[in-house]
Amino acid sequence: MKYLFFLLSFLPALIAQSGQAEFGRIIGTVTSKESSFGLENVQVYIPARNIGAVTRSDGSFVLKKLQPGYYKLKIRMLGFETVTLDSVLVRAGEVVVLRPQLVLKVYEVHEIQVTASRHEALQQSIPQLVSVVNRLKIRQRNSAQTPEILREEMGVFIQKTSNGGGSPIIRGLKANKILLLIDGIRMNNATYRGGNLQYLNTIDPGSIERMEVVHGPSSALYGSDALGGTINTITAEPGFSRSGKPAWSGRLETGFSSAEGNHRFTLQTAVHAKKWGLSLQSARYGYGNITRGGNGGDELMRRLSLTPESGRNLAKKQRPNAYDARYSQFKFTFQPHYKHKFTLFYQLARQGKVPRYDVFERQAYQAYFYEPQNRDLAYLKYENALHGPLADLMILTLSIHRQKEGRVKQKTSSVKMTVDRFSTTTRAWQLQFNKIFRKKHFILYGAEAYYDRLSANSYSRIIADGVGEITSRAPLYPDNSRHDSFGVYAQSEWHLTPPWMLTSGLRYSAFLLDAPFSKKPPLHLGLVKRRTFALTASVSSRYEFNEKISFVSNIAQGFRAPNLDDVSKFGPGKGDSFYDVPNPKIQSETGISLDGGLKFAYENARLNLVFYYTRLNDILIRRPAEFNALPYIIDENDTLAVFHKANAGKAVVSGFEIGGEALLKWGIIARANLSYAYGFNQTANEPLTAIPPLNGLFSLRRTSPHFWLELSSRFALEQNRLSSEDLLDLRIPVGGTPGWFTLNARSGWAINDNIDLQLALMNMLDWNYREHLSGLNAPGRSIVMSGKIELF
């Protein structure tokens, strides 16, 4: 806490300067000229300042903290003509009201993002490759699970071990090498494992305003885990009343999908006043047993049937996969003065008895459930438009995040059930300052700290004749473990010349890990302490050949400090394929990435083409080990090889990501992307583990004021480049995962201002396929329906 007190000591001097300047605002409502409907997710921005806003569901927007003067505004949206407003005069302390109308024809090529730069900036104007999925795209993709939202994004591959899973892979890296954020607050904690994760699936997709994916390392801004990329899930703001009088809004959404057996029900309400806004949301989801496709897939099924020796249950209805979930969210914003804003937020997720399907498929278990799978996040954020000599904006965030997980397992033909439960509570603070110098130089700097505390217990129960005898056992992680992190960072954006912008970042990070092992059998390690330090940097460049074409390049360091799952895990891994034992001596994984490419942003088209090369050092992989001088452990009737994680050496990942959109004739919008990663473990002289195959998407979309229709195809080639660890992974078919493709259709109809309906037919050919690394076959032909009603 001494770092926080040190930084806060500067606040009085900064706040004393806050009265030196007055600002104005621009507010308004964007509507469609054809229908007079308010348009949601319209981009309203000031090109010269590289700032902007996105319209809410009623078409309203606010541009705040504008210095007096004349501004040029651009208003864009996919499928509509761009509107340019020249010479909009803003006076100090006054509000400018605009009512622009868009004409259906062209589509926008700009999105607002905050993750790559840690402040609002246009997606096409920054050097990093960033994918933005806004609220409109989220709604139209009609996904009942958050990881599914990203499936169509360039360079993002989603692995699913079961219906309750969903682990993103970016640039060949996965799990705890991908940083997950909610409103800029870390989800990753001390127990996030190197195997594929399900935690992104604990976020209600109906609560999301937009998702941002930063491709490549961003450790210079965010610290540990941001090696392959960063995914920021941003929740919706309740907004304020433009008239000054309190206003209510309410929304009901429901939907179902046939092949997945999913259904959902969401109720949202909000109150908007002049100086405050409140939103409340509650949702219930039911997830079913997935029905795989019935056509093709003969080679896939043949390969799956070869392992394990005990055989697989390859029934068309893949069960168990069903579970229930409920989510709630509260968000309150209060702005007593245009310089001061407070946000209070709470998010709850409850998932019960989530099956791990892959072990049921190979008939290894009669019970394997994640129970419970709970998460609670609360934060208080304070924003102050200081406009002092050292900062124009200060953001202070205090948060507490509790993630609780349990695993209930019982092997086939066994009378013993094992239960592992652990809960991680993370308290954190973040403090950031932003400053613009003479409109050519932007700098942000700040500090943050996260304090993880773990409670864990494990036991086994003999189930026979209705009597359960409970026996305590060593937990997966030592009880009362801790993992603390602290970081200070700074990033500078220089407009060296009108076409050339240079961005540089630097961060210092420190970590403390305490794992209090018992001195009693089976472990005799006592207290294990790890202190880790890291200094990471990045340099990025964007050069505009003209206002439509720019060349971007990035050199960035990334790292991942060892956590409790690396240092201290004691238990089975990968569906009990082997047994993990602790290794307190491991070091941080590090990497350096170089990427470069072109960004094209025309009025009717945009295209991003980026090539990358990442060198990884001291990568953690599982190595054969011994426990009690033996290379194996007998777990019930199974003999499992002993492994531990170790810094195994060097690896490289290279590839490309290309994606874009273009307006064709007759108002048809074409969208396509293609991604490829090649990974090689130089130390082991073999492929790097868990590398996705070449994959991509192509779609055609027609939009009118009240109706839209989209046809799309997703595809992936065969992946037969497998590492030694891949060969042990029974989710992967023998010889690799065959290629596949799907054909899909989606449509939407706005009946009136208050009612929207959507209908989709996914995997129209009913193709039987499995995505690489996944533990179940994908859904077959599926009818997906949903509806939204604006209640008031």
Side-chain angles (χ1 to χ4, degrees):
M1 295 296 291
K2 63 180 181 180
Y3 303 102
L4 177 60
F5 294 145
F6 175 75
L7 289 166
L8 289 178
S9 66
F10 287 98
L11 295 186
L14 291 170
I15 295 173
Q17 300 291 329
S18 63
Q20 292 184 358
E22 293 290 335
F23 299 94
R25 292 191 298 165
I26 299 175
I27 68 172
T29 302
V30 182
T31 60
S32 167
K33 190 172 183 179
E34 287 80 3
S35 64
S36 298
F37 289 175
L39 295 174
E40 185 180 7
N41 286 300
V42 179
Q43 309 292 324
V44 183
Y45 67 99
I46 302 172
R49 293 285 303 278
N50 194 26
I51 61 173
V54 181
T55 59
R56 304 185 186 99
S57 59
D58 61 353
S60 63
F61 69 91
V62 180
L63 295 174
K64 301 176 291 185
K65 307 181 185 102
L66 299 177
Q67 295 180 353
Y70 287 93
Y71 291 92
K72 178 179 179 180
L73 267 70
K74 285 198 173 185
I75 303 165
R76 301 176 182 262
M77 184 178 179
L78 188 68
F80 291 84
E81 287 274 13
T82 296
V83 171
T84 301
L85 302 178
D86 292 308
S87 302
V88 177
L89 176 61
V90 175
R91 292 188 173 92
E94 295 186 4
V95 177
V96 179
V97 181
L98 303 176
R99 306 288 186 199
Q101 290 187 316
L102 298 188
V103 178
L104 187 71
K105 183 180 178 183
V106 191
Y107 74 96
E108 55 85 21
V109 296
H110 293 282
E111 289 274 12
I112 304 295
Q113 69 80 45
V114 298
T115 310
S117 52
R118 212 153 178 165
H119 70 92
E120 285 191 353
L122 296 177
Q123 177 187 3
Q124 291 293 106
S125 70
I126 61 173
Q128 295 89 346
L129 181 62
V130 181
S131 301
V132 178
V133 188
N134 61 36
R135 180 60 186 157
L136 183 62
K137 291 180 181 178
I138 292 171
R139 187 175 299 151
Q140 291 174 349
R141 290 179 186 178
N142 211 6
S143 299
Q145 295 172 311
T146 294
E148 303 281 345
I149 294 171
L150 299 176
R151 264 220 161 104
E152 299 181 14
E153 290 305 299
M154 168 183 59
V156 183
F157 192 86
I158 301 297
Q159 180 276 353
K160 296 194 74 168
T161 296
S162 61
N163 198 14
S167 184
I169 303 173
I170 304 173
R171 295 191 175 180
L173 300 177
K174 63 173 184 174
N176 55 19
K177 296 180 181 63
I178 304 295
L179 178 61
L180 306 180
L181 306 171
I182 300 178
D183 289 345
I185 297 169
R186 295 174 65 96
M187 285 188 72
N188 297 46
N189 63 27
T191 60
Y192 271 36
R193 59 187 181 272
N196 293 296
L197 304 169
Q198 74 274 24
Y199 303 112
L200 191 62
N201 195 43
T202 64
I203 302 174
D204 175 14
S207 69
I208 302 171
E209 178 69 18
R210 69 182 188 273
M211 297 186 75
E212 299 179 359
V213 181
V214 181
H215 301 248
S218 49
S219 290
L221 275 180
Y222 293 102
S224 181
D225 302 355
L227 264 172
T230 300
I231 298 174
N232 192 8
T233 301
I234 300 170
T235 60
E237 293 280 344
F240 303 111
S241 171
R242 300 190 308 276
S243 66
K245 298 180 180 180
W248 291 78
S249 64
R251 175 184 298 174
L252 173 66
E253 295 187 32
T254 186
F256 80 91
S257 57
S258 59
E260 296 98 326
N262 297 343
H263 60 272
R264 57 190 172 92
F265 181 91
T266 302
L267 181 62
Q268 183 185 55
T269 185
V271 185
H272 314 277
K274 183 178 180 180
K275 294 185 178 182
W276 59 270
L278 171 66
S279 65
L280 300 169
Q281 181 168 310
S282 181
R284 288 188 175 273
Y285 288 71
Y287 300 97
N289 297 310
I290 294 177
T291 303
R292 63 173 174 83
N295 296 325
D298 295 340
E299 178 61 16
L300 168 65
M301 303 303 278
R302 185 191 70 81
R303 295 183 185 185
L304 286 172
S305 65
L306 295 177
T307 58
E309 294 181 359
S310 58
R312 290 181 186 258
N313 178 7
L314 296 175
K316 189 172 183 180
K317 179 77 74 172
Q318 301 172 102
R319 57 166 55 96
N321 262 303
Y323 68 99
D324 294 322
R326 58 185 176 91
Y327 307 98
S328 297
Q329 184 170 293
F330 163 95
K331 199 168 193 177
F332 176 74
T333 56
F334 175 53
Q335 191 164 12
H337 188 269
Y338 67 87
K339 293 182 180 179
H340 306 279
K341 182 180 177 182
F342 299 86
T343 302
L344 181 63
F345 177 86
Y346 173 69
Q347 187 179 75
L348 172 148
R350 296 291 184 269
Q351 297 177 348
K353 208 170 184 180
V354 182
R356 175 169 175 162
Y357 170 74
D358 66 312
V359 298
F360 290 98
E361 179 185 83
R362 53 189 174 86
Q363 304 176 95
Y365 280 82
Q366 56 182 307
Y368 196 128
F369 300 97
Y370 294 97
E371 184 183 14
Q373 183 75 62
N374 297 342
R375 192 174 56 78
D376 297 86
L377 170 64
Y379 69 76
L380 174 64
K381 179 189 292 186
Y382 169 59
E383 300 171 72
N384 188 328
L386 299 167
H387 203 72
L390 299 179
D392 295 322
L393 176 66
M394 180 200 78
I395 305 172
L396 173 64
T397 306
L398 306 174
S399 65
I400 181 169
H401 200 177
R402 180 177 290 110
Q403 301 182 67
K404 186 175 182 180
E405 182 178 334
R407 301 175 192 176
V408 180
K409 301 184 289 184
Q410 184 178 358
K411 293 185 177 181
T412 302
S413 303
S414 173
V415 297
K416 184 170 77 171
M417 175 179 288
T418 62
V419 178
D420 299 303
R421 290 201 171 103
F422 52 94
S423 176
T424 305
T425 300
T426 305
R427 293 175 173 83
W429 59 265
Q430 299 169 290
L431 182 63
Q432 180 173 306
F433 300 93
N434 299 354
K435 179 64 180 178
I436 298 176
F437 295 97
R438 298 182 180 179
K439 297 184 180 181
K440 293 184 178 182
H441 183 201
F442 177 89
I443 186 170
L444 64 84
Y445 56 98
E448 60 186 2
Y450 290 82
Y451 308 96
D452 288 1
R453 296 296 180 269
L454 177 75
S455 62
N457 69 87
S458 298
Y459 62 88
S460 62
R461 171 178 290 170
I462 304 299
I463 302 174
D465 300 324
V467 178
E469 180 185 343
I470 297 177
T471 304
S472 179
R473 59 196 294 265
L476 280 178
Y477 312 106
D479 189 29
N480 294 319
S481 294
R482 62 181 288 190
H483 187 249
D484 298 341
S485 66
F486 170 78
V488 291
Y489 59 89
Q491 179 167 286
S492 171
E493 299 174 10
W494 286 88
H495 289 269
L496 300 177
T497 64
W500 187 19
M501 183 181 80
L502 188 68
T503 302
S504 58
L506 184 67
R507 179 183 176 111
Y508 171 78
S509 302
F511 302 86
L512 172 63
L513 183 151
D514 284 353
F517 286 97
S518 171
K519 294 184 179 181
K520 300 178 181 179
L523 297 173
H524 311 269
L525 298 175
L527 177 63
V528 172
K529 279 184 171 288
R530 294 284 303 156
R531 286 178 171 79
T532 308
F533 308 93
L535 186 66
T536 47
S538 65
V539 178
S540 305
S541 171
R542 177 177 64 89
Y543 185 84
E544 290 185 345
F545 297 110
N546 52 53
E547 64 178 12
K548 299 178 176 65
I549 304 174
S550 59
F551 174 76
V552 295
S553 58
N554 300 276
I555 303 175
Q557 292 177 301
F559 79 98
R560 196 184 73 80
N563 65 11
L564 290 170
D565 188 76
D566 303 313
V567 173
S568 63
K569 183 183 176 184
F570 182 72
K574 289 207 176 188
D576 293 4
S577 301
F578 44 76
Y579 209 92
D580 279 323
V581 297
N583 181 11
K585 298 180 181 180
I586 56 179
Q587 305 296 322
S588 294
E589 298 175 282
T590 63
I592 184 167
S593 177
L594 292 82
D595 67 51
L598 296 170
K599 288 187 176 183
F600 301 86
Y602 292 90
E603 194 68 23
N604 295 337
R606 69 174 175 184
L607 175 70
N608 292 322
L609 171 61
V610 173
F611 293 88
Y612 63 87
Y613 175 87
T614 303
R615 178 176 291 277
L616 302 169
N617 297 308
D618 294 322
I619 57 172
L620 288 177
I621 65 173
R622 285 184 171 91
R623 289 289 200 188
E626 291 186 348
F627 182 72
N628 291 335
L630 295 174
Y632 60 86
I633 281 180
I634 298 177
D635 186 24
E636 297 190 52
N637 296 323
D638 293 332
T639 301
L640 301 180
V642 173
F643 283 78
H644 67 195
K645 293 179 182 177
N647 298 103
K650 299 179 179 180
V652 295
V653 183
S654 59
F656 65 83
E657 297 163 322
I658 179 172
E661 296 174 291
L663 177 67
L664 309 179
K665 292 184 178 180
W666 309 294
I668 296 175
I669 298 170
R671 181 167 66 99
N673 64 60
L674 189 67
S675 305
Y676 176 71
Y678 179 90
F680 188 73
N681 186 330
Q682 295 174 314
T683 302
N685 194 31
E686 65 174 17
L688 191 62
T689 187
I691 298 294
L694 178 76
N695 64 92
L697 170 139
F698 178 76
S699 72
L700 294 172
R701 179 187 181 89
R702 178 71 169 88
T703 301
S704 69
H706 303 285
F707 181 79
W708 59 271
L709 173 66
E710 180 184 73
L711 301 176
S712 67
S713 175
R714 291 179 57 236
F715 60 89
L717 299 187
E718 179 178 12
Q719 179 57 289
N720 53 22
R721 295 188 66 252
L722 305 178
S723 69
S724 299
E725 188 171 335
D726 290 335
L727 295 174
L728 293 173
D729 191 339
L730 296 178
R731 292 169 295 190
I732 301 175
V734 174
T737 308
W740 54 269
F741 75 97
T742 64
L743 296 178
N744 315 287
R746 293 193 187 102
S747 63
W749 179 29
I751 297 176
N752 55 40
D753 287 352
N754 298 320
I755 302 176
D756 286 346
L757 297 178
Q758 288 187 206
L759 174 65
L761 183 60
M762 308 301 289
N763 193 5
M764 290 188 290
L765 300 180
D766 199 30
W767 199 252
N768 181 21
Y769 71 98
R770 175 172 295 201
E771 300 198 41
H772 186 56
L773 304 170
S774 291
L776 76 168
N777 289 14
R781 185 185 296 117
S782 184
I783 298 172
V784 184
M785 294 187 65
S786 68
K788 181 193 73 172
I789 302 175
E790 298 290 345
L791 300 175
F792 47 85

